[in-house]
Amino acid sequence: MGELGKLPNIGKALEEQLAYVGITTPEQLREAGSKQVWLKILGIDDSACYNRLCALEGAIEGIRWHQLSQEKKDELREFYKSVKN
C-alpha cells in the first residue's frame, strides 16, 4: 500500500478506488475533500455508501470514522441522502 493506505480507514480496496479516480496522495485527498472524492468513487462504484463517505472524511481528519463528531456525521448523512435519493 502507498501513502494513502497509511491513513485511518483507507484499506487496499479504497486505496485502489482512490487511485482510479486520480487521488494518489493524502494532500490530493485533503484538497478535494471527502464529498467530491466520494462523488468520483460513486461514479465508478454504485455501491459507494455512507460509511465510505465517512471513511474518507475520517482519513482527512486523521481519525477512525467512528470518531467523527455527531455534527460532521449528520452533515455527511444529509449530503449522502441528497445524492442517493
Side-chain angles (χ1 to χ4, degrees):
M1 293 192 353
E3 284 183 73
L4 288 168
K6 296 174 185 170
L7 297 175
N9 314 309
I10 307 294
K12 185 176 192 238
L14 184 49
E15 186 175 25
E16 288 173 358
Q17 286 185 326
L18 289 167
Y20 190 85
V21 300
I23 305 295
T24 58
T25 68
E27 293 76 25
Q28 290 173 324
L29 177 59
R30 281 190 280 280
E31 287 174 15
S34 60
K35 294 174 185 173
Q36 291 306 311
V37 172
W38 182 82
L39 287 171
K40 289 180 180 188
I41 290 173
L42 182 62
I44 62 163
D45 182 358
D46 286 342
S47 75
C49 61
Y50 166 75
N51 290 351
R52 198 165 325 166
L53 175 59
C54 288
L56 292 167
E57 181 62 33
I60 289 169
E61 292 188 26
I63 59 175
R64 295 287 298 153
W65 74 267
H66 301 88
Q67 297 171 323
L68 291 170
S69 71
Q70 190 59 51
E71 181 180 21
K72 180 56 78 173
K73 287 179 185 177
D74 292 345
E75 174 192 330
L76 294 174
R77 188 176 311 281
E78 288 305 310
F79 173 76
Y80 175 81
K81 287 179 183 177
S82 75
V83 171
K84 287 296 239 182
N85 291 335

